[in-house]
Amino acid sequence: MPLTESDHMENVCGYLMKYTNLVTGWQYRFFVLNNEAGLLEYFVNEQSRNQKPRGTLQLAGAVISPSDEDSHTFTVNAASGEQYKLRATDAKERQHWVSRLQICTQHHTEAIGKNNPPLKSRSFSLASSGNSPISQRRPSQNTISFFNVGHSKLQSVSKRTNLPPDHLVEVREMMSHAEGQQRDLIKGIECLPTSGHLSSLDQDLLMLKATSMATMNCLNDCFHILQLQHASHQKGSLPSGTTIEWLEPKISLSNNYKNGADQLFATEQSKPVAVPEEQSFAESGLLAREPEEINADDEIEDTCDNKEDDLGAVEEQRSVILHLLSQLKLGMDLTRVVLPTFILEKRSLLEMYADFMSHPDLFIAITNGATAEERMIRFVEYYLTSFHEGRKGAIAKKPYNPIIGETFHCSWKMPKIEVASSVFSSSTKGVTNHAPSSEESLNHVGSDCYTVRFVAEQVSHHPPVSGFYAECTERKMCVNAHVWTKSKFLGMSIGVTMIGEGILSLLEHGEEYTFSLPCAYARSILTVPWVELGGKVSVNCAKTGYSASITFHTKPFYGGKLHRVTAEVKHNITNTVVCRVQGEWNSVLEFTYSNGETKYVDLTKLAVTKKRVRPLEKQDPFESRRLWKNVTDSLRESEIDKATEHKRTLEERQRTEERHRTETDTPWKTKYFIKEGDGWVYHKPLWKIIPTTQPAE
């Protein structure tokens, strides 16, 4: 429907496409611009415009931004933080809407400024003083001269002590001018040939493209924060001490990847693909969701060795990474951002969690501690040695995001004699390491083995929550945990927060140890990315009064060691430190005990027990290795396009099934884990089967 022809302050109405969410995508809605009230309203259709609007945005203080994705799309960012992403039928219609919205927004923003005093004690400058190392090194590429923004005009804004009521409007005009210059820069770079002396794939130009776009995104966020603070101040609704978080987009990245990089990306808005592998959503939805008893005798020692390349691929695909970075904002949640397939690790996150049990001898040995103090120390020793095996090499790659309903099963067999000989004790000095158990020795000892069983399940899609559980029935011990990973873009790094907790139960002693997990960071994502851990975690045993505080130290900007970790084990009742730890979580750890003795553990020489898994043909279609087989095989053969297509197929099936459940109002049924409060608990934990004992100490 064409727009109604109108004067600049008359109401405008017409159909636009509105991006709703990842499930429903783009939908036609009837929009009405109410100039008098300063509102943008929308309805399901024109016939329902006399009813209550489906949504309303206040335009005072809003930012109207034409999108660089195409000539049809634009966004309306309200001062409240709410955002509409809209698409017109053509460029002319978009321009009509954008200009009318901007006129209405400016009118109502100025009206607020004239009726209210300005925000005090807020001075800022968009101009650089020109004394930074960058401006000294490359004076001709100074940011202000590059964007050709009036330097004296900007300085005059920053020098004013009493800003006029419409000061934000003036700044918005200058920023709009800078945005236009930046768009011209991007177009100029992308119009260059892909080869020759000056190429659109030139590394310096790509870096300039990425950093200039990131700069404008950050400036827009800062401006938006000022608007929020100003509006809240005028209304008197901003309490003292309130902070405003970085804004996060409500949509995924666009599919407008250029410079030959688009074929390497799969986007959330991509066209649905046929599902030839496995089964359709109707069939998979009918798969038995009843718990399956896994026979440990069906499991064989894992022979799969998905060695990760040293990622020369990142250097080769540098232009893809740079273009991806140019689309991101600081603090942006990456949960729904589709990353290029070539940076994927060849396994699921569920399987990666199993690496926490790569030293089952140390896990089992916790319950051998003669006292509560020794058991807490042993738990910390086990905990600190459980991270290094999670990285398949020094390169940071991202495991597959598990599909809801995905599961992973495995087990470890450990000869009892090796558990006894491998126990850490404060009387042991020197460097501790052990030889791995062989399949022959396992067969020889037969029933003289402890078995540790592990099961993990993706129990939720939004948010992405994984549950995992491990137990050793012979030693009456088990661990139950749920983890929600949340990734954020931090500039030249990606941070992953591990939200959730785990509980280790030692039923022989009637003790429970609660623990959390550190954050992980992928650093140097433009060159050769690497992983480090960071943050503080705690371990507590309420019954015994012992606790541990563990700090994973991130590398300082200048100097300092990599992968440092320190820890203290304390008896809370007496406030006594009984053990201190320092070292590197992927190298050598030094344990100092209260009796003055010291012990070193070299993790690079510590034996890793291989897990036992069932062959693919015996696995359920939703078990990790079978589910991701086609993606893994394609990555192993370096067939990135095929891997991307298989991955997209799985993700599209997940979205289709979710849409089907929503339409039929069918809740998702988990297979092995039950939601209890804010957490998830295994359906048959050991503490429900074996009664807890209370031994006398």
Side-chain angles (χ1 to χ4, degrees):
M1 176 181 175
L3 294 172
T4 57
E5 294 298 321
S6 58
D7 186 61
H8 72 280
M9 282 307 289
E10 289 183 357
N11 293 343
V12 178
C13 62
Y15 279 97
L16 293 168
M17 292 189 76
K18 178 179 180 294
Y19 189 84
T20 306
N21 53 47
L22 292 175
V23 177
T24 51
W26 293 92
Q27 293 187 333
Y28 273 105
R29 292 291 181 256
F30 188 80
F31 282 80
V32 175
L33 170 59
N34 186 334
N35 275 289
E36 184 176 354
L39 299 175
L40 178 63
E41 303 169 321
Y42 76 91
F43 306 82
V44 174
N45 50 45
E46 186 176 5
Q47 291 71 32
S48 62
R49 65 180 297 180
N50 294 325
Q51 302 172 10
K52 184 180 178 181
R54 291 291 297 271
T56 302
L57 278 189
Q58 287 277 356
L59 292 176
V63 178
I64 318 300
S65 305
S67 173
D68 289 330
E69 297 175 17
D70 52 45
S71 61
H72 303 171
T73 307
F74 62 101
T75 56
V76 182
N77 296 278
S80 63
E82 192 173 3
Q83 180 192 73
Y84 286 174
K85 183 173 182 179
L86 307 173
R87 181 175 289 168
T89 54
D90 54 36
K92 183 178 179 181
E93 185 183 45
R94 180 181 80 168
Q95 183 56 42
H96 187 75
W97 272 103
V98 168
S99 61
R100 296 302 184 271
L101 285 166
Q102 287 177 339
I103 291 169
C104 180
T105 297
Q106 181 174 350
H107 174 77
H108 285 276
T109 304
E110 288 175 350
I112 289 178
K114 291 173 183 176
N115 295 331
N116 298 280
L119 180 65
K120 294 182 181 179
S121 70
R122 169 63 73 179
S123 61
F124 58 96
S125 171
L126 295 177
S128 168
S129 63
N131 295 324
S132 68
I134 294 177
S135 63
Q136 291 173 0
R137 186 169 65 250
R138 291 188 179 184
S140 63
Q141 293 189 13
N142 176 295
T143 305
I144 297 301
S145 64
F146 181 82
F147 285 118
N148 198 28
V149 178
H151 189 72
S152 60
K153 190 174 182 180
L154 283 169
Q155 283 185 327
S156 66
V157 172
S158 64
K159 289 178 181 178
R160 295 172 188 166
T161 54
N162 295 314
L163 295 174
D166 61 346
H167 66 285
L168 290 183
V169 176
E170 186 177 350
V171 174
R172 174 69 265 179
E173 290 175 358
M174 287 184 279
M175 288 181 62
S176 295
H177 180 65
E179 286 172 345
Q181 296 290 325
Q182 194 266 343
R183 282 196 295 272
D184 291 342
L185 165 70
I186 300 301
K187 290 178 182 176
I189 293 174
E190 291 178 346
C191 287
L192 291 172
T194 56
S195 60
H197 177 66
L198 189 60
S199 162
S200 61
L201 298 178
D202 179 84
Q203 300 300 301
D204 289 336
L205 289 180
L206 286 169
M207 178 64 82
L208 180 60
K209 174 181 169 183
T211 53
S212 66
M213 190 172 292
T215 301
M216 290 310 306
N217 284 339
C218 289
L219 284 174
N220 271 308
D221 279 346
C222 292
F223 180 73
H224 197 165
I225 289 171
L226 287 177
Q227 288 178 311
L228 291 173
Q229 289 181 326
H230 185 75
S232 299
H233 180 81
Q234 303 302 340
K235 296 175 183 177
S237 61
L238 189 64
S240 61
T242 300
T243 58
I244 298 178
E245 299 293 335
W246 282 99
L247 306 173
E248 293 183 3
K250 297 177 175 60
I251 55 173
S252 61
L253 293 178
S254 73
N255 194 27
N256 191 29
Y257 294 99
K258 298 185 180 179
N259 294 335
D262 53 308
Q263 73 274 13
L264 293 177
F265 289 78
T267 67
E268 296 291 354
Q269 299 176 29
S270 58
K271 186 178 178 181
V273 202
V275 187
E277 304 111 321
E278 304 302 345
Q279 61 284 319
S280 67
F281 78 91
E283 293 170 331
S284 63
L286 293 175
L287 282 175
R289 300 303 305 162
E290 295 304 317
E292 179 184 4
E293 291 296 334
I294 304 298
N295 187 350
D297 293 335
D298 290 341
E299 295 175 330
I300 57 175
E301 186 173 300
D302 189 17
T303 57
C304 180
D305 185 18
N306 286 328
K307 275 195 171 181
E308 295 301 330
D309 303 327
D310 282 348
L311 223 62
V314 164
E315 288 294 339
E316 296 164 12
Q317 305 293 347
R318 185 180 171 90
S319 63
V320 180
I321 297 290
L322 281 168
H323 192 84
L324 174 66
L325 295 183
S326 72
Q327 313 293 313
L328 305 180
K329 294 184 181 182
L330 285 177
M332 181 176 180
D333 184 357
L334 301 184
T335 303
R336 298 184 181 183
V337 173
V338 179
L339 299 176
T341 306
F342 67 82
I343 68 170
L344 292 178
E345 192 170 327
K346 295 188 280 288
R347 58 177 179 163
S348 171
L349 181 64
L350 291 187
E351 181 172 349
M352 185 175 172
Y353 286 139
D355 289 336
F356 284 104
M357 305 301 297
S358 294
H359 302 300
D361 50 341
L362 305 184
F363 173 71
I364 297 167
I366 296 171
T367 196
N368 285 347
T371 65
E373 176 182 315
E374 190 176 348
R375 288 191 291 275
M376 174 59 82
I377 292 174
R378 291 187 184 206
F379 177 82
V380 172
E381 291 171 331
Y382 157 73
Y383 183 91
L384 290 176
T385 59
S386 65
F387 291 98
H388 76 105
E389 180 58 17
R391 301 310 321 153
K392 300 294 184 183
I395 304 303
K397 283 194 171 186
K398 180 182 178 298
Y400 312 140
N401 287 332
I403 301 295
I404 189 169
E406 178 183 336
T407 61
F408 181 77
H409 299 269
C410 66
S411 66
W412 296 264
K413 286 189 181 295
M414 178 56 55
K416 295 178 181 179
I417 189 172
E418 292 192 21
V419 173
S421 64
S422 68
V423 173
F424 290 149
S425 70
S426 57
S427 61
T428 306
K429 297 181 181 180
V431 178
T432 303
N433 58 78
H434 312 286
S437 305
S438 65
E439 184 74 15
E440 183 180 347
S441 67
L442 294 177
N443 292 332
H444 177 71
V445 294
S447 61
D448 291 331
C449 280
Y450 292 125
T451 300
V452 177
R453 292 183 173 85
F454 176 91
V455 59
E457 180 181 5
Q458 190 69 7
V459 295
S460 172
H461 181 44
H462 295 306
V465 182
S466 308
F468 61 88
Y469 173 85
E471 68 177 25
C472 179
T473 307
E474 298 95 332
R475 294 315 312 268
K476 300 180 181 179
M477 60 188 302
C478 62
V479 60
N480 188 101
H482 65 277
V483 182
W484 167 24
T485 58
K486 188 171 185 179
S487 305
K488 281 188 179 293
F489 176 60
L490 305 174
M492 292 299 103
S493 301
I494 292 175
V496 182
T497 304
M498 311 286 273
I499 304 167
E501 70 170 14
I503 299 177
L504 169 69
S505 300
L506 303 182
L507 302 181
E508 285 183 340
H509 306 284
E511 297 170 356
E512 287 187 347
Y513 299 76
T514 61
F515 60 93
S516 52
L517 295 170
C519 298
Y521 299 91
R523 306 295 195 191
S524 304
I525 54 181
L526 273 182
T527 53
V528 180
W530 52 279
V531 169
E532 70 170 338
L533 301 178
K536 292 185 177 181
V537 299
S538 59
V539 183
N540 289 284
C541 180
K543 179 187 174 185
T544 65
Y546 281 92
S547 66
S549 176
I550 303 170
T551 303
F552 293 87
H553 301 269
T554 54
K555 185 182 181 298
F557 192 76
Y558 293 107
K561 286 186 176 182
L562 288 173
H563 311 305
R564 281 185 60 238
V565 62
T566 57
E568 283 187 349
V569 179
K570 183 184 289 187
H571 186 230
N572 299 326
I573 300 172
T574 60
N575 200 31
T576 304
V577 176
V578 298
C579 178
R580 284 190 170 89
V581 188
Q582 63 177 352
E584 292 84 47
W585 58 265
N586 64 349
S587 182
V588 177
L589 295 169
E590 176 189 283
F591 295 84
T592 304
Y593 303 94
S594 55
N595 62 3
E597 294 190 356
T598 301
K599 177 189 65 206
Y600 297 87
V601 179
D602 187 345
L603 279 75
T604 62
K605 298 178 180 178
L606 203 60
V608 172
T609 304
K610 287 192 174 183
K611 56 182 172 284
R612 301 166 64 85
V613 294
R614 291 182 299 169
L616 282 181
E617 62 270 15
K618 292 189 177 182
Q619 293 183 16
D620 183 278
F622 268 71
E623 288 192 46
S624 294
R625 289 195 178 178
R626 184 171 171 186
L627 183 71
W628 293 96
K629 180 182 182 300
N630 292 325
V631 179
T632 302
D633 289 347
S634 299
L635 287 176
R636 194 178 286 121
E637 299 298 323
S638 299
E639 295 178 331
I640 303 301
D641 290 344
K642 280 188 179 180
T644 301
E645 194 66 21
H646 290 309
K647 177 173 173 285
R648 187 187 306 171
T649 298
L650 289 174
E651 292 166 343
E652 180 58 33
R653 186 178 72 188
Q654 179 176 229
R655 287 191 289 272
T656 305
E657 291 176 350
E658 187 175 24
R659 205 156 44 233
H660 178 71
R661 290 194 300 273
T662 302
E663 292 168 356
T664 58
D665 197 25
T666 305
W668 174 257
K669 183 182 178 184
T670 53
K671 193 169 185 177
Y672 295 103
F673 288 82
I674 301 168
K675 188 168 178 59
E676 291 188 4
D678 294 331
W680 293 84
V681 178
Y682 186 60
H683 73 115
K684 284 200 319 187
L686 208 55
W687 66 78
K688 288 185 179 179
I689 301 171
I690 301 175
T692 301
T693 56
Q694 304 288 338
E697 291 269 328

